[in-house]
Amino acid sequence: MTGKSEKLISLLGGQPVIPVLKVKDAADAVPLARALAAGGLRMIEITLRTKDALEAIRRVAGEVEEAIVGAGTVLDPKQFAEAAAAGSKFIVSPGVTASLIAAQGDSEVPLLPGAITPGEVMMALEAGISFQKFFPAEQAGGTVFLRSLASPLAAVRFCPTGGISALNAPEYLAVPNVVCVGGSWVAPDEMIREGKWDMIESLARQASELKPI
Ligand code: 3PG
């Protein structure tokens, strides 16, 4: 395990699920992060899929001490820099590119890049990134595919995301090269829109207690 990947796994602190969030209104970010942390999910990913995403990250980083906020759906070095400047503690990308690898080389902030094929996994590994996102997990072959990467690419650990829910998460957590899973099921759009923070806290609590099956 290499430096920044190790740092990211230790920040995660054994949390089994990273919520993947779409925050449409920055005003929702703080109560949302507080609810998730109260339910046991301190590390959260706010995706850059909404116009308020960077402001949401800024607010959580500044106001929610108990949360560890990262940026997701980061596609290029400009977004990497903006997300890091907003206070992201880690950066998630759906894929791996040479320019994102270069951006993380110039930054203290760890990159969790997406990879599926052995070639993509090797490209990130060559850059010293041994903790990677396996995305889109279900669509790309799920746990069977992940298990088949374990022997030839033994140095790599994964956070699978894409199509994962409370139902199949335990199967993923049982795969030896899986550290945690990511998913949006913990904070559904309509619950955020309606400010159902208690329900999100309870979904987070269930997710934080998930164990390998
Ligand atoms: C991601 O970016 O990790 C995915 O969009 C999350 O996938 P899900 O919505 O299927 O959980």
Side-chain angles (χ1 to χ4, degrees):
M1 202 52 24
T2 46
K4 281 183 205 157
S5 291
E6 223 167 69
K7 177 173 150 188
L8 185 52
I9 290 178
S10 84
L11 261 183
L12 184 64
Q15 182 178 313
V17 178
I18 300 178
V20 177
L21 307 170
K22 213 160 66 193
V23 181
K24 292 211 178 89
D25 182 346
D28 291 333
V30 166
L32 174 60
R34 289 206 170 114
L36 290 164
L41 301 181
R42 299 178 62 224
M43 184 176 272
I44 61 175
E45 172 190 333
I46 297 182
T47 58
L48 301 192
R49 297 183 202 176
T50 64
K51 64 170 179 33
D52 275 15
L54 284 174
E55 177 58 17
I57 291 169
R58 212 169 282 122
R59 290 190 192 187
V60 175
E63 297 175 42
V64 190
E65 239 174 65
E66 63 273 32
I68 302 163
V69 64
T73 323
V74 172
L75 304 181
D76 57 44
K78 180 171 174 278
Q79 289 183 326
F80 188 114
E82 288 169 348
S88 303
K89 304 290 185 298
F90 62 100
I91 302 286
V92 187
S93 173
V96 54
T97 67
S99 63
L100 276 175
I101 284 176
Q104 83 115 32
D106 296 336
S107 169
E108 284 305 302
V109 182
L111 172 67
L112 180 66
I116 291 286
T117 65
E120 290 164 350
V121 174
M122 287 161 66
M123 184 177 170
L125 187 59
E126 256 178 32
I129 303 169
S130 51
F131 182 36
Q132 303 176 13
K133 162 170 157 143
F134 180 74
F135 173 81
E138 274 292 279
Q139 298 81 349
T143 56
V144 176
F145 195 114
L146 266 168
R147 281 181 197 275
S148 69
L149 294 177
S151 174
L153 297 162
V156 186
R157 297 286 172 278
F158 294 95
C159 173
T161 84
I164 300 182
S165 68
L167 290 179
N168 58 1
E171 290 163 29
Y172 278 93
L173 293 170
V175 179
N177 53 356
V178 166
V179 173
C180 63
V181 302
S184 57
W185 89 87
V186 184
D189 287 350
E190 62 282 6
M191 279 192 201
I192 298 178
R193 197 172 52 239
E194 291 164 15
K196 302 231 157 103
W197 312 127
D198 287 355
M199 286 172 82
I200 289 176
E201 180 180 331
S202 139
L203 283 176
R205 185 159 300 110
Q206 287 164 24
S208 73
E209 288 166 0
L210 286 173
K211 301 258 180 310
I213 223 169

